[in-house]
Amino acid sequence: MFILALVKRVPSLLKDLVLAPSFRTAALLVLPYAGLLVGMDIATRYGELTNALLPRPFLLSQDQSLGEYLEYSLMSAMAVMLFLMWRRDRSSIYLVNALLFFVLTLDNAFELHEKFGFWIAPLLPHNLPIAAHHIGEPLMFAIIGIVWATGLALSLRASRVDPVLNSLVLVGCIAATAFFGIFVDAVVSYGPHSGAMIETEAFIEDGGEFAMIILAFLLTVSMFDTAWRGWKSEIREAVMGKAALG
């Protein structure tokens, strides 16, 4: 019942976060560059179909590409902001989320889930219409998800309402990112596809994941800015209180 009551408050919090000045400022800084990357990705995919090949780093899904470097930056920034919120607030649920984004940044940068998929492939069934390593990749994410969810559950009692609400917003973003990164990826890998279908499905996968990472970053900036303003107000009140007593 407690969680259901909090979930009902999420839309109101989400509205406040989106309308916050810090959300708009961060969006103005990130979205133009992100839009350029999406445009280059579309152009590159069109080039793949028409043999007018463009540099592979223009693709959002390409390892060490321009889009991936932006994702590394955004996710590591989220990890830092959530870590600082934990340091100030001491709500362990912030630390759990900070560690998740840190691990996801490492995974994204060093292709850990791809390597894990190939490593565990010999132990998985090989008579399925999807390659064994494509089963191994979501298996690693499932392990990370179980550890993360366990950490969230253990942190609930030790966290105040505001950090829990913020975490529910992030849970929604992470779930949407996982949908594109795992489910849509499986659809792309399953069965035969025409060249146009592969490029379209791959763009939906990569573009959806890219968009959700950006949204999670913008919302985290808004959360951090709100918390930062609260900390400054507390410090100001404490200083004024000491001055009055002096």
Side-chain angles (χ1 to χ4, degrees):
M1 293 297 293
F2 173 69
I3 292 296
L4 289 177
L6 289 178
V7 169
K8 291 180 181 179
R9 294 175 57 181
V10 168
S12 176
L13 171 63
L14 196 56
K15 179 181 177 182
D16 292 340
L17 292 174
V18 171
L19 294 178
S22 54
F23 184 96
R24 295 195 298 272
T25 301
L28 286 171
L29 292 173
V30 173
L31 292 184
Y33 181 55
L36 174 63
L37 294 177
V38 171
M40 291 193 303
D41 181 86
I42 294 172
T44 306
R45 294 186 188 282
Y46 182 75
E48 295 283 332
L49 297 174
T50 60
N51 293 321
L53 301 181
L54 293 172
R56 298 289 295 175
F58 286 0
L59 287 171
L60 295 176
S61 59
Q62 182 70 29
D63 293 317
Q64 308 298 318
S65 66
L66 298 174
E68 290 244 322
Y69 278 117
L70 178 60
E71 290 183 3
Y72 307 155
S73 301
L74 298 184
M75 287 195 293
S76 58
M78 282 187 274
V80 170
M81 286 186 285
L82 290 166
F83 178 77
L84 292 175
M85 292 170 77
W86 167 72
R87 284 289 303 273
R88 182 64 175 79
D89 189 271
R90 287 298 171 182
S91 291
S92 55
I93 202 163
Y94 283 140
L95 180 60
V96 171
N97 285 312
L99 291 174
L100 173 68
F101 284 113
F102 175 71
V103 169
L104 292 179
T105 302
L106 291 180
D107 171 69
N108 206 4
F110 297 104
E111 308 169 43
L112 298 183
H113 69 276
E114 289 95 341
K115 293 175 181 175
F116 178 83
F118 283 106
W119 175 77
I120 203 171
L123 305 177
L124 300 174
H126 287 260
N127 57 347
L128 299 176
I130 185 172
H133 70 273
H134 285 302
I135 301 174
E137 291 176 13
L139 182 59
M140 177 178 168
F141 285 125
I143 295 170
I144 293 173
I146 290 170
V147 174
W148 170 60
T150 302
L152 290 180
L154 294 175
S155 300
L156 283 176
R157 293 184 178 226
S159 299
R160 297 182 298 103
V161 172
D162 287 347
V164 174
L165 282 172
N166 286 335
S167 292
L168 286 175
V169 172
L170 293 176
V171 166
C173 292
I174 293 165
T177 305
F179 170 80
F180 288 106
I182 298 175
F183 178 75
V184 179
D185 177 64
V187 171
V188 175
S189 305
Y190 181 85
H193 299 268
S194 67
M197 285 180 63
I198 290 176
E199 295 300 337
T200 300
E201 292 166 352
F203 174 73
I204 292 172
E205 174 197 347
D206 300 329
E209 190 176 345
F210 187 62
M212 293 314 305
I213 290 173
I214 291 173
L215 178 60
F217 170 76
L218 297 178
L219 292 171
T220 304
V221 168
S222 191
M223 294 173 194
F224 182 80
D225 183 65
T226 300
W228 177 260
R229 292 174 186 274
W231 303 337
K232 289 199 297 185
S233 177
E234 290 174 7
I235 293 172
R236 198 160 43 240
E237 289 176 3
V239 171
M240 293 176 64
K242 288 182 179 180
L245 291 173

